[in-house]
Amino acid sequence: YLPIFSYFLELTLPRGDIISSLNTFSKPTFPPMKAHEAYIDSALEWARTCPHLPSQVLATWFRRYTDYGISETLLDILEPLGVTTWAISYHLQGKTNGLTVGEIGRTRAAVMKRLLLLPTAEELSMDSVREAGLSLYECCRLTAFIFSAAVTFPIPNTFDVLQFYVAKLKAAVEVSNILRCDEDLVDKLLLWILMLGGIAALDKPERQWFVEQMSIVRGRLGITWDDATEVFENFLWLESACGVGGWLFWKESEALHLAA
């Protein structure tokens, strides 16, 4: 019975621990399980070697921002999160040679546990990392939370969870100097951050703020919706989950831009 019991724990403990952490906005009680960490390595190997993934670009642009506070520790979460997203998309399309449902489930749990254990910028004292500079660590950490809780690791009754992270993201963006940066590279990352924050802010007080900022950034970049989705796909994006909400948010920002 021991192998069956161990398998049961491997399935139920991490999920319950993760859901509890998300609902209480706290660190997980249990450390990552070695068995689950192996699934991340296996998923990364699948993404590297699968002959049907020549266009897999999810999460590949984050490495362009190592001079802006995106650390290796954060990349070790964002890149597997991209692979997990691609595996989910691959499965939803009914393609062969993908990860099994069980492998996807264990991989997303392991990635979510890593994300929950990631220290905040405040815990790292990142305000002193780059003097008079720009650190996007906290903005990306919080956006990854929003994407995970809404897309790759959806939980019941996400409204309060998303409300918490949307408010945190708005505050992080406002103090990061990212809104005042005039570099195209930074604006593209900001476009993704505002898009996911804006989708999650539906029916929340922060929605209008995200619409206003998106209107400004899309105006600076001068891009269409199709151009924008290509940008999002280089970060974290799942069309089946984000497409409709993203389009509605984009149209709101477009209307505001045209009225300005």
Side-chain angles (χ1 to χ4, degrees), residues 95-112:
K95 294 184 178 180
T96 58
N97 300 320
L99 299 182
T100 67
V101 173
E103 289 170 335
I104 292 172
R106 293 178 181 84
T107 303
R108 70 178 187 173
V111 173
M112 194 71 218

Side-chain angles (χ1 to χ4, degrees), residues 192-228:
W192 169 74
I193 290 169
L194 293 173
M195 172 54 66
L196 289 188
I199 295 172
L202 181 66
D203 297 327
K204 298 176 178 64
E206 294 80 7
R207 174 78 167 197
Q208 185 60 30
W209 181 88
F210 278 96
V211 169
E212 291 169 0
Q213 305 314 314
M214 175 61 84
S215 178
I216 295 169
V217 174
R218 58 172 290 166
R220 285 203 301 250
L221 288 171
I223 61 176
T224 65
W225 169 250
D226 289 340
D227 295 332

Side-chain angles (χ1 to χ4, degrees), residues 143-155:
T143 308
F145 261 115
I146 289 171
F147 183 79
S148 298
V151 178
T152 60
F153 202 100
I155 61 174

Side-chain angles (χ1 to χ4, degrees), residues 118-153:
L118 195 67
T120 66
E122 184 178 3
E123 290 170 337
L124 293 174
S125 298
M126 289 199 72
D127 55 337
S128 60
V129 171
R130 300 180 73 243
E131 292 184 10
L134 179 65
S135 177
L136 304 180
Y137 173 93
E138 189 68 2
C139 295
C140 287
R141 187 186 74 87
L142 292 166
T143 308
F145 261 115
I146 289 171
F147 183 79
S148 298
V151 178
T152 60
F153 202 100

Side-chain angles (χ1 to χ4, degrees), residues 13-25 112 116 153-156 161:
L13 262 183
R15 180 173 175 81
D17 195 22
I18 289 169
I19 292 175
S20 175
S21 295
L22 286 170
N23 284 325
T24 58
F25 317 114
M112 194 71 218
L116 284 163
F153 202 100
I155 61 174
V161 172

Side-chain angles (χ1 to χ4, degrees), residues 58-184:
L58 281 167
T60 56
W61 275 17
F62 288 112
R63 286 197 172 270
R64 299 183 176 192
Y65 299 88
T66 54
D67 288 339
Y68 298 95
I70 306 302
S71 64
E72 283 295 329
T73 304
L74 183 53
L75 288 170
D76 284 344
I77 296 166
L78 295 175
E79 290 173 346
L81 184 53
V83 169
T84 304
T85 306
W86 186 260
I88 292 171
S89 176
Y90 208 68
H91 174 74
L92 292 175
Q93 294 174 53
K95 294 184 178 180
T96 58
N97 300 320
L99 299 182
T100 67
V101 173
E103 289 170 335
I104 292 172
R106 293 178 181 84
T107 303
R108 70 178 187 173
V111 173
M112 194 71 218
K113 179 63 76 71
R114 277 189 184 181
L115 182 58
L116 284 163
L117 290 168
L118 195 67
T120 66
E122 184 178 3
E123 290 170 337
L124 293 174
S125 298
M126 289 199 72
D127 55 337
S128 60
V129 171
R130 300 180 73 243
E131 292 184 10
L134 179 65
S135 177
L136 304 180
Y137 173 93
E138 189 68 2
C139 295
C140 287
R141 187 186 74 87
L142 292 166
T143 308
F145 261 115
I146 289 171
F147 183 79
S148 298
V151 178
T152 60
F153 202 100
I155 61 174
N157 305 317
T158 59
F159 187 90
D160 289 343
V161 172
L162 292 179
Q163 175 66 80
F164 177 85
Y165 286 112
V166 162
K168 286 282 189 181
L169 178 59
K170 176 179 178 290
V173 170
E174 288 178 321
V175 303
S176 69
N177 293 324
I178 189 175
L179 294 173
R180 293 184 289 278
C181 187
D182 59 357
E183 298 178 35
D184 276 5

